[in-house]
Amino acid sequence: MRVGRNLKVKIGCLEKYQDIFQRDNINIVLLDKDLDAIERVKNVLIGVNSSYLFPTDNRELLYQYIKKIINNGYNFILADGVQDIGMMSLYANDFVSKTAYTSTIGLIPSHRGGSLIRNLVEFSFEFAKEKGMEKHRAEVHKSNEKWLNFLLRCKFEIESETENDTYIIVKDL
């Protein structure tokens, strides 16, 4: 909470995390729902180069996927001043179950390690909660043990297994 002229103003989590990321000279940006956002997300997904994210080899399917997350989710880009280095796509619009869902999260290889991913994950929890969500859900491939173990340390629990060799994990916010 910031105080100025005898007024207390609650800081939103995006502003809070902009300050946190700025300590590492990283900016976090909420993307608009426009063509520029589609291009930025496409470039980051290709740069992340992860077999656990949406495949980037079929450009038409990739474009359809990106349009879906842009139109339906909150999409955040991390940038280091020179390039976009990571992203997160989060659905926080199910006001019946009050469950947020992270569909995509990743950093380019040169920026992995350190506190960036932890800060991005913690931001997703606070952002979802700020939007009225009470649970957070994600899907993780079983062979992605490092990421799964990281999320389990973040208090996610395995809810179920899918036929696609993935776990559905959930966390109470």
Side-chain angles (χ1 to χ4, degrees):
M1 197 166 293
R2 291 189 180 167
V3 179
R5 292 186 167 170
N6 298 325
L7 298 173
K8 291 183 180 179
V9 179
K10 182 179 179 188
I11 297 173
C13 73
L14 180 55
E15 186 177 342
K16 172 185 170 183
Y17 277 85
Q18 284 173 331
D19 290 345
I20 290 170
F21 284 114
Q22 202 45 232
R23 294 176 198 153
D24 292 320
N25 296 314
I26 303 294
N27 295 313
I28 184 169
V29 178
L30 172 62
L31 295 178
D32 291 325
K33 297 178 184 302
D34 59 17
L35 291 176
D36 181 53
I38 291 171
E39 188 66 19
R40 287 182 82 176
V41 169
K42 177 193 76 149
N43 290 335
V44 171
L45 284 175
I46 291 169
V48 169
N49 191 26
S50 172
S51 60
Y52 300 111
L53 294 180
F54 194 87
T56 58
D57 51 345
N58 183 320
R59 297 300 171 140
E60 183 60 33
L61 290 177
L62 178 62
Y63 180 74
Q64 289 173 10
Y65 174 72
I66 293 169
K67 278 182 61 177
K68 177 184 164 193
I69 63 174
I70 293 292
N71 289 333
N72 299 306
Y74 295 94
N75 298 279
F76 300 92
I77 292 285
L78 293 178
D80 69 0
V82 176
Q83 66 179 338
D84 292 339
I85 61 160
M87 71 157 298
M88 177 184 63
S89 181
L90 172 72
Y91 296 94
N93 52 11
D94 183 344
F95 297 103
V96 175
S97 72
K98 296 186 178 190
T99 302
Y101 180 80
T102 297
S103 66
T104 305
I105 190 168
L107 296 172
I108 63 172
S110 62
H111 284 74
R112 292 181 186 152
S115 62
L116 282 180
I117 198 67
R118 176 167 293 284
N119 288 336
L120 191 56
V121 169
E122 289 174 1
F123 166 69
S124 74
F125 300 153
E126 287 189 42
F127 185 84
K129 195 169 183 176
E130 193 173 88
K131 294 296 178 190
M133 303 295 107
E134 296 174 356
K135 292 185 181 287
H136 200 111
R137 184 170 274 129
E139 186 172 356
V140 179
H141 200 277
K142 291 178 181 179
S143 65
N144 195 350
E145 292 177 21
K146 185 176 180 181
W147 182 240
L148 177 62
N149 288 330
F150 172 80
L151 293 175
L152 292 174
R153 286 191 307 274
C154 292
K155 307 292 189 235
F156 274 93
E157 295 178 0
I158 295 173
E159 180 181 69
S160 62
E161 296 182 38
T162 73
E163 295 176 3
N164 299 326
D165 288 327
T166 62
Y167 292 115
I168 301 297
I169 59 174
V170 66
K171 171 187 173 63
D172 288 331
L173 299 174

